[in-house]
Amino acid sequence: FNQQNGTFDETKFQAILKDDGEKKGQLVFETNCVACHKEKGIGDIGPNLSDEYWLWAKGTPETIYPVVFNGVLQNGMPAWSETLSNEEIYQVVAYVQTLHNTHQPGGKAPQGNKVE
């Protein structure tokens, strides 16, 4: 994981999952992402990550990864590849996957497109 790369690698992702990636990703999320997405991804400045609506991704690891890696500058989402390791990005993507469709109480109103 020494090479920063904006291309999603399924093999790397599976290796991260096997290495407690979701739990490690929760720590990455709580350290870096809660400022905008709040606890359990309910959304605030950033969109709600616990519903089935997506602005830039489609709710899948391969579509979430580049959003985290590259950011969405027009929406104020930083390019996390500048501060997080490649491994941490895969870990946080794994954690975000666990939030999807959990419909956390107090979540921000849906934004973007519904993904079935």
Side-chain angles (χ1 to χ4, degrees):
F1 298 124
N2 55 1
Q3 184 63 40
Q4 283 283 37
N5 184 339
T7 306
F8 181 78
D9 182 326
E10 182 65 37
T11 307
K12 273 188 195 176
F13 185 65
Q14 291 305 320
I16 292 284
L17 288 176
K18 287 188 182 90
D19 187 35
D20 220 5
E22 291 170 358
K23 195 168 200 174
K24 291 175 180 174
Q26 182 174 358
L27 293 173
V28 176
F29 188 90
E30 288 171 354
T31 304
N32 300 284
C33 312
V34 293
C36 294
H37 293 287
K38 293 293 182 216
E39 289 285 326
K40 297 188 177 158
I42 64 169
D44 183 33
I45 297 164
N48 184 343
L49 301 174
S50 75
D51 63 15
E52 68 276 25
Y53 289 82
W54 293 86
L55 285 167
W56 303 100
K58 303 268 185 280
T60 60
E62 63 275 8
T63 64
I64 297 168
Y65 178 85
V67 174
V68 177
F69 189 94
N70 297 311
V72 182
L73 294 181
Q74 66 266 43
N75 284 40
M77 168 96 168
W80 286 105
S81 56
E82 294 171 9
T83 47
L84 296 179
S85 72
N86 201 234
E87 191 169 31
E88 288 170 321
I89 293 173
Y90 279 102
Q91 289 166 349
V92 83
V93 168
Y95 176 67
V96 167
Q97 283 294 115
T98 71
L99 300 174
H100 182 54
N101 277 330
T102 59
H103 299 279
Q104 296 295 323
K108 186 176 178 181
Q111 293 172 277
N113 299 308
K114 187 172 184 173
V115 177
E116 298 297 338

